[in-house]
Tab-separated table of all heavy atoms in Angstrom:
chain	number	residue	atom	x	y	z
D	1	LEU	N	0.851	-1.187	0.000
D	1	LEU	CA	0.000	0.000	0.000
D	1	LEU	C	0.888	1.238	0.000
D	1	LEU	O	1.660	1.448	0.926
D	1	LEU	CB	-0.903	-0.006	1.235
D	1	LEU	CG	-1.856	1.153	1.403
D	1	LEU	CD1	-2.806	1.242	0.217
D	1	LEU	CD2	-2.635	1.011	2.688
D	2	ILE	N	0.803	2.026	-1.061
D	2	ILE	CA	1.589	3.254	-1.172
D	2	ILE	C	0.622	4.427	-1.080
D	2	ILE	O	-0.251	4.587	-1.923
D	2	ILE	CB	2.369	3.306	-2.502
D	2	ILE	CG1	3.310	2.109	-2.580
D	2	ILE	CG2	3.151	4.621	-2.609
D	2	ILE	CD1	4.012	1.953	-3.922
D	3	ASP	N	0.788	5.210	-0.034
D	3	ASP	CA	-0.100	6.344	0.220
D	3	ASP	C	0.469	7.575	-0.481
D	3	ASP	O	1.462	8.128	-0.056
D	3	ASP	CB	-0.220	6.581	1.724
D	3	ASP	CG	-1.367	7.504	2.084
D	3	ASP	OD1	-1.741	8.337	1.227
D	3	ASP	OD2	-1.875	7.395	3.197
D	4	GLU	N	-0.152	7.989	-1.566
D	4	GLU	CA	0.344	9.118	-2.356
D	4	GLU	C	0.078	10.471	-1.709
D	4	GLU	O	0.591	11.483	-2.144
D	4	GLU	CB	-0.275	9.103	-3.759
D	4	GLU	CG	0.321	8.055	-4.673
D	4	GLU	CD	1.730	8.406	-5.123
D	4	GLU	OE1	2.089	9.591	-5.176
D	4	GLU	OE2	2.485	7.476	-5.421
D	5	ASP	N	-0.746	10.501	-0.683
D	5	ASP	CA	-1.047	11.761	-0.014
D	5	ASP	C	-0.209	11.865	1.251
D	5	ASP	O	-0.690	11.642	2.367
D	5	ASP	CB	-2.536	11.853	0.314
D	5	ASP	CG	-2.955	13.237	0.789
D	5	ASP	OD1	-2.059	14.096	0.979
D	5	ASP	OD2	-4.150	13.461	0.980
D	6	GLY	N	1.054	12.192	1.090
D	6	GLY	CA	1.978	12.272	2.212
D	6	GLY	C	1.623	13.351	3.210
D	6	GLY	O	1.991	13.279	4.381
D	7	ARG	N	0.897	14.345	2.759
D	7	ARG	CA	0.488	15.440	3.650
D	7	ARG	C	-0.464	14.929	4.731
D	7	ARG	O	-0.367	15.302	5.892
D	7	ARG	CB	-0.183	16.541	2.829
D	7	ARG	CG	-0.594	17.755	3.622
D	7	ARG	CD	-1.212	18.803	2.708
D	7	ARG	NE	-2.305	18.278	1.898
D	7	ARG	CZ	-3.577	18.208	2.299
D	7	ARG	NH1	-3.903	18.620	3.498
D	7	ARG	NH2	-4.499	17.746	1.505
D	8	VAL	N	-1.364	14.059	4.353
D	8	VAL	CA	-2.340	13.527	5.304
D	8	VAL	C	-1.928	12.137	5.791
D	8	VAL	O	-1.966	11.855	6.970
D	8	VAL	CB	-3.752	13.490	4.670
D	8	VAL	CG1	-4.749	12.901	5.634
D	8	VAL	CG2	-4.167	14.872	4.231
D	9	GLY	N	-1.549	11.254	4.875
D	9	GLY	CA	-1.070	9.921	5.240
D	9	GLY	C	-2.101	9.051	5.936
D	9	GLY	O	-1.775	8.294	6.839
D	10	THR	N	-3.349	9.113	5.503
D	10	THR	CA	-4.414	8.379	6.170
D	10	THR	C	-4.156	6.881	6.209
D	10	THR	O	-4.344	6.242	7.242
D	10	THR	CB	-5.768	8.648	5.482
D	10	THR	OG1	-5.982	10.055	5.450
D	10	THR	CG2	-6.909	7.984	6.212
D	11	SER	N	-3.708	6.311	5.102
D	11	SER	CA	-3.461	4.872	5.060
D	11	SER	C	-2.376	4.468	6.040
D	11	SER	O	-2.461	3.426	6.690
D	11	SER	CB	-3.081	4.434	3.639
D	11	SER	OG	-4.131	4.711	2.752
D	12	LEU	N	-1.327	5.289	6.152
D	12	LEU	CA	-0.252	4.996	7.096
D	12	LEU	C	-0.757	5.081	8.532
D	12	LEU	O	-0.357	4.293	9.392
D	12	LEU	CB	0.922	5.956	6.890
D	12	LEU	CG	1.605	5.883	5.522
D	12	LEU	CD1	2.691	6.932	5.422
D	12	LEU	CD2	2.169	4.497	5.296
D	13	LYS	N	-1.653	6.015	8.791
D	13	LYS	CA	-2.231	6.138	10.135
D	13	LYS	C	-3.079	4.917	10.467
D	13	LYS	O	-3.069	4.427	11.585
D	13	LYS	CB	-3.052	7.421	10.246
D	13	LYS	CG	-2.187	8.669	10.243
D	13	LYS	CD	-3.030	9.924	10.269
D	13	LYS	CE	-2.153	11.157	10.110
D	13	LYS	NZ	-2.931	12.378	9.951
D	14	TRP	N	-3.817	4.400	9.495
D	14	TRP	CA	-4.611	3.189	9.699
D	14	TRP	C	-3.692	2.036	10.087
D	14	TRP	O	-3.972	1.304	11.033
D	14	TRP	CB	-5.337	2.810	8.409
D	14	TRP	CG	-6.665	3.439	8.189
D	14	TRP	CD1	-6.922	4.762	8.000
D	14	TRP	CD2	-7.918	2.781	8.111
D	14	TRP	NE1	-8.257	4.949	7.796
D	14	TRP	CE2	-8.890	3.762	7.854
D	14	TRP	CE3	-8.298	1.456	8.205
D	14	TRP	CZ2	-10.236	3.451	7.705
D	14	TRP	CZ3	-9.629	1.151	8.056
D	14	TRP	CH2	-10.592	2.132	7.813
D	15	ALA	N	-2.599	1.868	9.340
D	15	ALA	CA	-1.667	0.767	9.598
D	15	ALA	C	-1.031	0.906	10.981
D	15	ALA	O	-0.903	-0.069	11.721
D	15	ALA	CB	-0.596	0.721	8.517
D	16	ALA	N	-0.631	2.123	11.356
D	16	ALA	CA	-0.023	2.352	12.668
D	16	ALA	C	-1.028	2.067	13.785
D	16	ALA	O	-0.683	1.441	14.798
D	16	ALA	CB	0.489	3.783	12.767
D	17	ARG	N	-2.257	2.504	13.613
D	17	ARG	CA	-3.289	2.276	14.630
D	17	ARG	C	-3.564	0.779	14.797
D	17	ARG	O	-3.724	0.288	15.921
D	17	ARG	CB	-4.569	3.009	14.240
D	17	ARG	CG	-5.582	3.061	15.354
D	17	ARG	CD	-6.811	3.899	15.007
D	17	ARG	NE	-6.455	5.123	14.308
D	17	ARG	CZ	-7.078	5.561	13.223
D	17	ARG	NH1	-8.083	4.902	12.702
D	17	ARG	NH2	-6.707	6.683	12.650
D	18	ALA	N	-3.596	0.037	13.705
D	18	ALA	CA	-3.825	-1.411	13.784
D	18	ALA	C	-2.690	-2.094	14.541
D	18	ALA	O	-2.928	-2.971	15.377
D	18	ALA	CB	-3.964	-1.996	12.381
D	19	THR	N	-1.457	-1.682	14.279
D	19	THR	CA	-0.304	-2.254	14.964
D	19	THR	C	-0.359	-1.946	16.456
D	19	THR	O	-0.098	-2.818	17.293
D	19	THR	CB	1.007	-1.724	14.352
D	19	THR	OG1	1.034	-2.087	12.961
D	19	THR	CG2	2.216	-2.308	15.040
D	20	GLN	N	-0.715	-0.722	16.818
D	20	GLN	CA	-0.822	-0.332	18.227
D	20	GLN	C	-1.878	-1.151	18.950
D	20	GLN	O	-1.748	-1.425	20.137
D	20	GLN	CB	-1.168	1.150	18.349
D	20	GLN	CG	-0.057	2.081	17.959
D	20	GLN	CD	-0.524	3.537	17.896
D	20	GLN	OE1	-1.710	3.839	17.962
D	20	GLN	NE2	0.436	4.444	17.746
D	21	ARG	N	-2.899	-1.560	18.250
D	21	ARG	CA	-3.989	-2.324	18.868
D	21	ARG	C	-3.733	-3.832	18.822
D	21	ARG	O	-4.627	-4.621	19.123
D	21	ARG	CB	-5.310	-1.997	18.186
D	21	ARG	CG	-5.714	-0.558	18.430
D	21	ARG	CD	-7.021	-0.226	17.814
D	21	ARG	NE	-7.363	1.156	18.130
D	21	ARG	CZ	-8.458	1.746	17.740
D	21	ARG	NH1	-9.340	1.101	17.030
D	21	ARG	NH2	-8.684	2.999	18.067
D	22	GLY	N	-2.525	-4.224	18.414
D	22	GLY	CA	-2.167	-5.639	18.419
D	22	GLY	C	-2.661	-6.422	17.225
D	22	GLY	O	-2.705	-7.639	17.252
D	23	CYS	N	-3.028	-5.747	16.172
D	23	CYS	CA	-3.528	-6.405	14.964
D	23	CYS	C	-2.814	-5.811	13.750
D	23	CYS	O	-3.424	-5.107	12.948
D	23	CYS	CB	-5.034	-6.212	14.852
D	23	CYS	SG	-5.774	-7.110	13.489
D	24	PRO	N	-1.501	-6.083	13.619
D	24	PRO	CA	-0.748	-5.445	12.544
D	24	PRO	C	-1.219	-5.872	11.155
D	24	PRO	O	-1.710	-6.980	10.969
D	24	PRO	CB	0.682	-5.905	12.796
D	24	PRO	CG	0.541	-7.182	13.551
D	24	PRO	CD	-0.719	-7.033	14.374
């Protein structure tokens, strides 16, 4: 998954949140 909107980075935030919740 390559998030082309680096300013917002929504996809990256989703991935980070999933990892923090123990579901990477």
